[in-house]
Amino acid sequence: MMGIYCSDCDTLLDTRIIDKLPDVTKDFEFLKERAAGILRNGLSQNNLRLDGKVLTLVVDGREFVLSTNANNRNIDGEIALGDGYFLRFDIKGNGSNIKMFDIILKG
């Protein structure tokens, strides 16, 4: 469940049920294998789904929540994949311009 809070007083305004987030640790190798191809070939609009403020990356039928507070499909950041690995991304223009999409190890 996701809560929507007032930014001034931190009062809970509304709640919404979102799909269970996947265990991205299991998908590390999957994303690592596809990172170079995604950087080279880009993403189609079908790869990025925006539902409310939840931005989801869909690759070969697998879903990865990139942001739960997205205002549009221009987004950057990183998500933890486990064991010190992170997916870093900077995606602009509905996926047509990928500045960064890489797997890194933070030590």
Side-chain angles (χ1 to χ4, degrees):
M1 184 175 303
M2 180 175 77
I4 301 171
Y5 293 87
C6 173
S7 60
D8 293 327
C9 65
D10 205 31
T11 302
L12 180 63
L13 302 174
D14 193 13
T15 59
R16 140 179 3 165
I17 295 175
I18 59 173
D19 294 334
K20 180 181 174 187
L21 300 179
D23 180 3
V24 293
T25 303
K26 294 178 184 176
D27 294 316
F28 162 68
E29 287 298 328
F30 171 81
L31 282 174
K32 186 176 177 185
E33 289 172 3
R34 283 158 179 77
I38 288 171
L39 256 179
R40 185 175 51 252
N41 301 320
L43 295 167
S44 72
Q45 280 193 328
N46 294 334
N47 292 115
L48 293 175
R49 185 176 63 233
L50 184 63
D51 182 16
K53 290 194 169 212
V54 179
L55 180 66
T56 306
L57 169 68
V58 181
V59 179
D60 294 345
R62 295 188 188 188
E63 299 181 359
F64 304 90
V65 175
L66 298 182
S67 175
T68 58
N69 193 27
N71 291 320
N72 55 46
R73 293 183 186 190
N74 295 331
I75 191 88
D76 63 85
E78 62 184 36
I79 56 174
L81 300 174
D83 296 330
Y85 288 94
F86 290 80
L87 167 63
R88 289 190 314 177
F89 53 91
D90 187 354
I91 301 168
K92 308 293 185 205
N94 296 330
S96 61
N97 185 1
I98 300 175
K99 302 285 188 184
M100 179 186 350
F101 192 92
D102 197 13
I103 306 293
I104 63 165
L105 176 62
K106 289 187 176 182

